[in-house]
Amino acid sequence: MEFRSPEFKTRAVHALHDANLQKALSNTKAGFVVKRAQAAEAMPEFEALRDTAAEIKNHVLNNLDHYLEKYEAAVTAAGGHVHYATDAEDARRIILGICKKAGARRITKGKSMVSEEMGLNEALIADGYEVVETDLGEYIIQLADEPPSHIIAPAIHKTKDQVADLFAAAHHKPRKTDRAELVAEAREVLREKYFTAEVGITGGNFLVAETGSSVIVTNEGNGDLTQTLAKVHIVTSGIERVIPTLDDLSVFLRILARSATGQETESYTTFSTGPRREGDVDGPEEYHVVLLDNGRSKMLGSRFQDMLRCIRCGACMNHCPVYGSIGGHAYGWVYPGPMGSVLTPLIKGMDGTYDLPNACTLNGRCKSVCPVRIPLPDLLREIRHNQFRKDMTPKRQKQALKLWRYVAERPKLYHFAERIGVRILASMAGGKGKLRSLPFDPGWTGARDLPAPTGRTFLELWQAKRGDQ
Amino acid sequence: MTDTPVKPRPRVGLFATCLMNAMRPSIGFASAKLLEDAGCHVSVPAAQTCCGQPGLNSGDEDGARALAKQLIEAFEDFDYVVGPSGSCMATIRHDYPGLFADMADWRKRAEALAAKSYELLSFLTDVMGVTEVDAEYHGTITYHDSCSGLRSLGVKGQPRQLLGSVKGLTIKEMEDTDVCCGFGGTFCVKYPEISEKMADDKLRNAAETGADTLLGGDLGCLLHLAGRLRRKGSPVRVYHTAEVLAGLADGPSLGEENR
Ligand code: SF4
């Protein structure tokens, strides 16, 4: 996937002026925010479950090697194979190898953000495979040749009319605008692909160490068909997605759907444990799990370990007013919104990702809904500290901070400077109460006036009235 | 309410946030009046400057630490530190201790200060037990929940309770009152277009209530929103909640021409 985070600023402004995008984004509130709140409200133990989920994740992360070994042993015992990929390139090499050995030509894919992280589609297509995304949202953006803009609703930036145009062009059928008819048309086209694909690739929401099962949750059932009808099933997931037991899984299943879409549960929760066994009526002949590290093990034990608790529910972006204003593409890589603004600099590096942790008001709404209680604003601020230490903060801003500190460390100078400042601003406003422009404007008056001060500081007025108390 | 009994006349150090000190002294006087009416002894230490939040949020941890030390020294002798801003007070309450992770001595002082630092309105209700004020304001207001106060300090019911006791005042709640207005400190000048969009979303929700006055508890958000309203030529008035509660909202509102 192309890395366009360096263009964040221009892409964000562009997004603000994209009428279709703005229309699509305005629907997310009713779709996600309201429903999540209702679901959380309807379940008295929801807050306690969030704590439990965070504890389980912390325990796993503190003992990750142990659980990965356990998981691998269970997968192997069930007849499957676990592959560890250190980075995206490694993962592509492993998966291309499996597809080649399987003699594949057509590959179906369920939604997997990790495969986006691997840049898998591009690599498969370059090697001559036909790749068919089977999640409706992924299918839409594949037709549009665009990356996902949301981790659970990849085509959320598209309006129904845009989808109608895409389908009409790709399917060579009369243009439909009814939602149900559009879905039916996609189903029809995809159906044939499931039966003829040699390899099916899915994600893995959870990996259960005790049983060696990979678990996916979907609303369309496309994942089931993708993984049971192909000869070879490949699961792509991150090394941090392992959890100890099925009991633990039940905790996550109860908070995931509620946090993501406000559903009590997704329509399909599918377990895969190894390939088809004797007597099974269906299932793949081979079962592979490719576990991606890609910087995750470096987060272990660091100030960013909390980020590895993430279960990819999307609640943080659904509730982020910056994401809600600009959509996911402006962030320029696989993961948008608050979680992406933490992950992208950590995975892709500090170069080119300066804006992501800075384009945040630290309003904390993401943290208040994160089912595994990741302190996203604190982590974003932590990255800003790293940027500052690495001297990446823009020079003018650094100078301003330095000057501010110098003055603020000297109360007498500070109060003198504020006194002069407010007198100048007040006289410039000349009784109008506001300023339309400022000399040395840092960016305030483009869209707003500056309410003018009255001309005296609080401290000088207080001291005049009440003396130094 | 806090568990520890409140001294009869607690000594409160009033923290004059840098924005309030420069841009809106009447909020300081309103705060002092409300605190004194509640039975506090109010002082305004002259050695105070900024809480350090700009540095903390922009990556300059050292700078923030230096200013935090200065503020701790200026205020640690008071029974309480109170400020008319959720954002500055959240910095003191939640971020100061973490700034001194490796300095046991300072960490203790930071924790002690954090424990007695409060946002103004929650201090009045939760600590001093104030349930009503003696003030009048003729108008319909809508209240914007600023983020730090709301989510870091749990300020939500307190301002509404007190506003409910103001004679002549009607409260109309807006949609998404808990969503950020797009100020975000330096965010509003670093990403002005996104900030503008967020302000407009907020102001549209406020306008839909039909309220003639917009109130809030953080001057940064209020300057940003009032500035946007003035630019658009809207007549909606903007005050800090404390000004209304103290009966000091009779002068020009933020950005309004002298009357
Ligand atoms: S950070 Fe939290 S809210 Fe965001 S996707 Fe991950 S689990 Fe969900």
Side-chain angles (χ1 to χ4, degrees):
Chain A
M1 187 167 161
E2 244 185 303
F3 176 59
R4 303 189 67 180
S5 303
E7 304 153 49
F8 175 86
K9 270 192 170 164
T10 44
R11 282 159 66 88
V13 173
H14 186 77
L16 288 165
H17 294 109
D18 180 338
N20 275 320
L21 173 66
Q22 290 300 326
K23 188 170 158 216
L25 286 172
S26 65
N27 297 330
T28 54
K29 192 186 144 210
F32 290 130
V33 176
V34 175
K35 286 189 185 147
R36 182 220 168 256
Q38 287 166 347
E41 179 77 18
M43 186 159 140
E45 66 273 39
F46 187 71
E47 294 305 312
L49 279 175
R50 290 172 68 187
D51 293 331
T52 311
E55 276 163 29
I56 295 170
K57 279 282 180 181
N58 284 342
H59 170 76
V60 170
L61 294 172
N62 290 331
N63 302 278
L64 190 59
D65 49 347
H66 167 77
Y67 284 109
L68 281 173
E69 274 174 30
K70 219 174 146 184
Y71 170 72
E72 184 184 351
V75 173
T76 311
H81 308 274
V82 174
H83 311 259
Y84 292 96
T86 49
D87 56 23
E89 195 189 330
D90 200 20
R92 292 194 297 263
R93 188 184 51 74
I94 294 167
I95 294 172
L96 285 170
I98 299 171
C99 294
K100 192 168 173 199
K101 220 175 117 223
R105 285 182 25 240
R106 176 175 283 169
I107 298 169
T108 46
K109 267 187 85 224
K111 196 174 79 61
S112 156
M113 295 310 287
V114 167
S115 80
E116 298 285 350
E117 207 182 315
M118 294 170 174
L120 190 55
N121 283 11
E122 294 93 323
L124 290 170
I125 290 165
D127 256 28
Y129 297 100
E130 182 196 355
V131 180
V132 185
E133 292 284 357
T134 61
D135 172 273
L136 182 60
E138 288 283 354
Y139 179 66
I140 291 168
I141 59 170
Q142 190 182 24
L143 292 182
D145 195 19
E146 286 174 12
S149 71
H150 189 288
I151 61 171
I152 67 157
I156 196 160
H157 58 285
K158 287 262 174 270
T159 61
K160 197 177 63 183
D161 278 338
Q162 289 176 307
V163 175
D165 291 342
L166 282 170
F167 279 17
H171 302 157
H172 311 293
K173 292 195 173 156
R175 186 175 185 274
K176 305 187 177 66
T177 49
D178 178 67
R179 206 170 284 268
E181 280 186 295
L182 286 167
V183 174
E185 187 173 302
R187 269 178 199 273
E188 200 183 303
V189 174
L190 288 173
R191 180 91 17 191
E192 179 246 327
K193 312 274 184 188
Y194 291 120
F195 288 100
T196 50
E198 294 83 9
V199 174
I201 301 178
T202 67
N205 290 80
F206 302 99
L207 310 168
V208 184
E210 108 183 302
T211 59
S213 313
S214 57
V215 182
I216 56 169
V217 291
T218 70
N219 273 322
E220 297 164 21
N222 64 303
D224 295 27
L225 295 173
T226 301
Q227 69 185 43
T228 44
L229 294 176
K231 220 165 55 177
V232 177
H233 176 200
I234 304 174
V235 176
T236 54
S237 197
I239 54 166
E240 83 286 14
R241 306 303 286 274
V242 65
I243 54 172
T245 65
L246 290 171
D247 275 347
D248 296 324
L249 177 68
S250 72
V251 173
F252 291 102
L253 290 180
R254 294 177 79 195
I255 56 170
L256 175 57
R258 288 179 169 86
S259 300
T261 53
Q263 293 165 283
E264 285 178 11
T265 171
E266 278 90 351
S267 312
Y268 299 86
T269 300
T270 311
F271 293 69
S272 310
T273 314
R276 177 199 300 223
R277 288 158 301 192
E278 254 189 49
D280 282 357
V281 291
D282 58 16
E285 288 162 27
E286 279 179 43
Y287 174 79
H288 298 268
V289 184
V290 181
L291 294 181
L292 182 65
D293 183 335
N294 213 19
R296 288 164 172 79
S297 54
K298 265 199 258 155
M299 289 180 223
L300 280 177
S302 79
R303 293 172 94 161
F304 299 105
Q305 176 168 314
D306 290 345
M307 195 60 228
L308 294 173
R309 292 204 294 267
C310 177
I311 58 173
R312 308 289 193 266
C313 72
C316 54
M317 57 200 75
N318 294 341
H319 291 77
C320 172
V322 175
Y323 178 94
S325 298
I326 61 175
H329 284 160
Y331 295 83
W333 197 55
V334 180
Y335 302 109
M339 54 83 84
S341 298
V342 177
L343 277 176
T344 307
L346 295 180
I347 295 177
K348 296 294 281 185
M350 308 281 275
D351 278 342
T353 53
Y354 179 79
D355 282 313
L356 302 184
N358 286 287
C360 165
T361 62
L362 302 176
N363 64 79
R365 203 162 175 239
C366 50
K367 176 177 161 186
S368 75
V369 295
C370 174
V372 284
R373 302 204 189 278
I374 298 173
L376 292 154
D378 301 341
L379 299 182
L380 290 168
R381 207 162 58 175
E382 196 60 42
I383 297 177
R384 295 182 191 180
H385 291 168
N386 286 349
Q387 291 173 332
F388 190 88
R389 280 192 282 270
K390 291 209 161 97
D391 217 16
M392 297 173 72
T393 310
K395 216 167 138 204
R396 261 184 55 191
Q397 195 188 326
K398 225 169 171 170
Q399 284 167 345
L401 285 167
K402 242 177 148 172
L403 178 67
W404 180 253
R405 173 181 173 175
Y406 182 88
V407 177
E409 277 189 293
R410 293 161 178 76
K412 287 214 171 88
L413 173 63
Y414 173 93
H415 291 297
F416 178 72
E418 285 216 315
R419 268 171 228 189
I420 302 290
V422 299
R423 280 168 169 76
I424 295 174
L425 288 175
S427 80
M428 278 168 53
K432 286 212 181 58
K434 62 185 186 207
L435 292 144
R436 285 192 72 88
S437 61
L438 291 170
F440 315 110
D441 183 1
W444 182 277
T445 54
R448 18 174 147 66
D449 295 347
L450 180 69
T454 45
R456 298 286 180 272
T457 71
F458 171 65
L459 257 92
E460 65 175 315
L461 292 169
W462 177 270
Q463 281 156 5
K465 249 186 167 157
R466 317 271 290 251
D468 269 318
Q469 292 193 19
Chain B
M1 294 283 269
T2 49
D3 306 333
T4 36
V6 179
K7 281 203 224 164
R9 202 166 130 75
R11 290 169 44 254
V12 170
L14 178 61
F15 178 52
T17 72
C18 41
L19 283 180
M20 180 273 270
N21 186 47
M23 305 299 286
R24 196 73 178 167
S26 60
I27 300 171
F29 285 105
S31 307
K33 174 175 186 298
L34 291 166
L35 288 165
E36 284 173 348
D37 286 353
C40 304
H41 179 275
V42 177
S43 306
V44 182
Q48 62 174 304
T49 63
C50 159
C51 68
Q53 193 193 114
L56 185 67
N57 287 351
S58 301
D60 183 9
E61 241 182 324
D62 284 338
R65 212 171 353 255
L67 295 181
K69 282 184 177 174
Q70 178 174 284
L71 190 140
I72 293 169
E73 280 169 343
F75 281 97
E76 64 191 342
D77 289 339
F78 291 99
D79 297 328
Y80 297 103
V81 188
V82 177
S85 157
S87 143
C88 306
M89 301 319 288
T91 297
I92 298 173
R93 261 191 97 93
H94 292 307
D95 295 322
Y96 272 20
L99 278 173
F100 301 103
D102 320 316
M103 307 159 85
D105 187 31
W106 274 103
R107 187 181 171 102
K108 251 173 83 193
R109 291 169 74 177
E111 278 169 356
L113 192 86
K116 58 184 180 183
S117 297
Y118 289 88
E119 178 277 336
L120 174 72
L121 302 183
S122 50
F123 176 76
L124 290 172
T125 56
D126 302 352
V127 179
M128 298 307 294
V130 177
T131 55
E132 53 179 37
V133 294
D134 180 19
E136 246 179 81
Y137 183 83
H138 294 280
T140 303
I141 69 102
T142 191
Y143 179 84
H144 164 56
D145 287 284
S146 283
C147 301
S148 305
L150 175 71
R151 275 180 278 270
S152 299
L153 301 176
V155 178
K156 184 165 179 71
Q158 303 91 332
R160 291 176 171 83
Q161 180 193 1
L162 296 179
L163 284 167
S165 70
V166 173
K167 287 183 233 31
L169 181 148
T170 311
I171 306 179
K172 281 247 177 94
E173 292 291 347
M174 69 174 119
E175 186 91 352
D176 287 344
T177 175
D178 65 332
V179 174
C180 177
C181 67
F183 170 62
T186 51
F187 173 87
C188 75
V189 290
K190 280 194 269 186
Y191 303 94
E193 298 89 355
I194 307 175
S195 171
E196 174 186 339
K197 157 85 166 78
M198 290 164 69
D200 285 349
D201 285 348
K202 172 64 56 183
L203 293 172
R204 186 177 353 92
N205 286 323
E208 275 166 15
T209 65
D212 51 49
T213 307
L214 175 65
L215 299 183
D218 261 286
L219 185 55
C221 310
L222 298 177
L223 286 169
H224 160 70
L225 291 173
R228 183 70 187 147
L229 282 167
R230 296 296 83 86
R231 176 62 55 95
K232 300 208 300 188
S234 159
V236 170
R237 280 169 292 173
V238 180
Y239 289 105
H240 190 285
T241 313
E243 296 178 280
V244 170
L245 294 176
L248 294 180
D250 44 4
S253 64
L254 277 167
E256 193 184 344
E257 207 165 331
N258 289 344
R259 296 185 238 156

